[in-house]
Amino acid sequence: MKFFVDTADIDAIAELNDLGMVDGVTTNPSIILKSGRNILEVTKEICALVDGPVSAEVVALEADAMIAEGRELAKIAENVTVKLPLTWDGLKACKVLTGEGKMVNVTLCFSANQALLAAKAGATFISPFIGRLDDINLDGMDLIEDIRTIYDNYGYETQILAASIRSVNHIHDCAVVGADVITAPPEIIKKLVSHPLTDQGLEQFMKDWAKTGQSIL
Ligand code: E4P
């Protein structure tokens, strides 16, 4: 499973990238706002740092304007993925931009039927939002499973990019049901390493090692 980082924080991306944990990056207008950076400048910087796909989202709502914005974003670097909302206009823009060979991430997906449409429009990635479904008492993971089944039934190559990840359990469950990619905030990716038995075991080993009086170096 690929790990994308859901942030425009360059330092956080660089730290995980140095460990080989970053297969790509996703941003959205809220993330750009939080970064305080210019979208074109920060996307260029991220693309130079990371080898994999870097999603940058259009803000137009009408297909022709989305296509124009998508083309502008795609000029930033080869690894830019144009992020489009799951609307009828977004699907039209998806068809055109993927036809030009650009990578497209169709976002704000909340149903399997929407994911089916995105695959038929040629999307490179579909982004179902797990956390936001959980927030309204629906099961976001059920959606990931349904999309996996549908895409496998018909051999769609669109990659399932599980988004709106709020916990390490979301990442575990995505891996079990076969999401192709997860995108998560850096702090959640870093939490994957934590286990109380690891901490407890290490503490005991350190105590016992001190008692041996030995040193390795
Ligand atoms: C990523 O592509 C999404 O924009 C992001 O994961 C949304 O996460 P949120 O629901 O926590 O804002």
Side-chain angles (χ1 to χ4, degrees):
M1 186 169 69
K2 291 177 203 156
F3 279 10
F4 287 5
V5 194
D6 203 20
T7 187
D9 179 334
I10 298 286
D11 291 341
I13 296 167
E15 185 190 1
L16 288 168
N17 197 43
D18 286 348
L19 282 172
M21 298 290 173
V22 180
D23 300 302
V25 172
T26 51
T27 64
N28 62 33
S30 306
I31 287 172
I32 295 298
L33 173 69
K34 191 175 166 194
S35 75
R37 300 283 312 274
N38 170 278
I39 183 171
L40 302 178
E41 289 171 11
V42 77
T43 304
K44 190 172 179 183
E45 227 173 290
I46 298 169
C47 286
L49 190 64
V50 170
D51 290 334
V54 175
S55 290
E57 189 159 342
V58 305
V59 288
L61 298 176
E62 184 272 325
D64 286 342
M66 285 180 180
I67 293 164
E69 287 184 357
R71 286 177 179 149
E72 196 59 31
L73 291 170
K75 280 185 203 160
I76 296 171
E78 291 252 312
N79 52 335
V80 164
T81 300
V82 179
K83 206 170 176 192
L84 300 166
L86 215 160
T87 60
W88 207 247
D89 282 83
L91 293 173
K92 283 184 195 168
C94 174
K95 187 77 185 155
V96 172
L97 292 170
T98 54
E100 293 174 359
K102 297 174 176 61
M103 290 188 288
V104 168
N105 174 1
V106 178
T107 188
L108 290 168
C109 171
F110 294 96
S111 80
N113 283 337
Q114 289 180 318
L116 183 54
L117 289 175
K120 290 184 78 66
T124 319
F125 300 100
I126 181 69
S127 287
F129 278 35
I130 299 169
R132 293 191 196 189
L133 282 169
D134 290 355
D135 288 345
I136 59 162
N137 288 331
L138 294 172
D139 189 341
M141 208 54 63
D142 282 351
L143 175 59
I144 305 294
E145 262 188 286
D146 283 354
I147 300 172
R148 179 76 283 152
T149 302
I150 290 167
Y151 282 8
D152 289 350
N153 281 349
Y154 299 100
Y156 288 118
E157 287 178 7
T158 299
Q159 294 182 52
I160 302 172
L161 197 178
S164 190
I165 297 258
R166 305 273 172 78
S167 67
V168 291
N169 287 348
H170 278 158
I171 297 179
H172 167 272
D173 295 347
C174 280
V176 170
V177 304
D180 299 289
V181 191
I182 56 95
T183 188
E187 56 275 15
I188 304 238
I189 293 177
K190 287 174 82 175
K191 265 192 197 163
L192 289 171
V193 78
S194 301
H195 199 290
L197 291 179
T198 305
D199 298 341
Q200 204 180 305
L202 191 57
E203 195 184 340
Q204 187 62 51
F205 287 159
M206 291 306 99
K207 278 185 190 157
D208 290 344
W209 179 250
K211 286 180 200 160
T212 68
Q214 300 178 37
S215 69
I216 294 172
L217 293 176

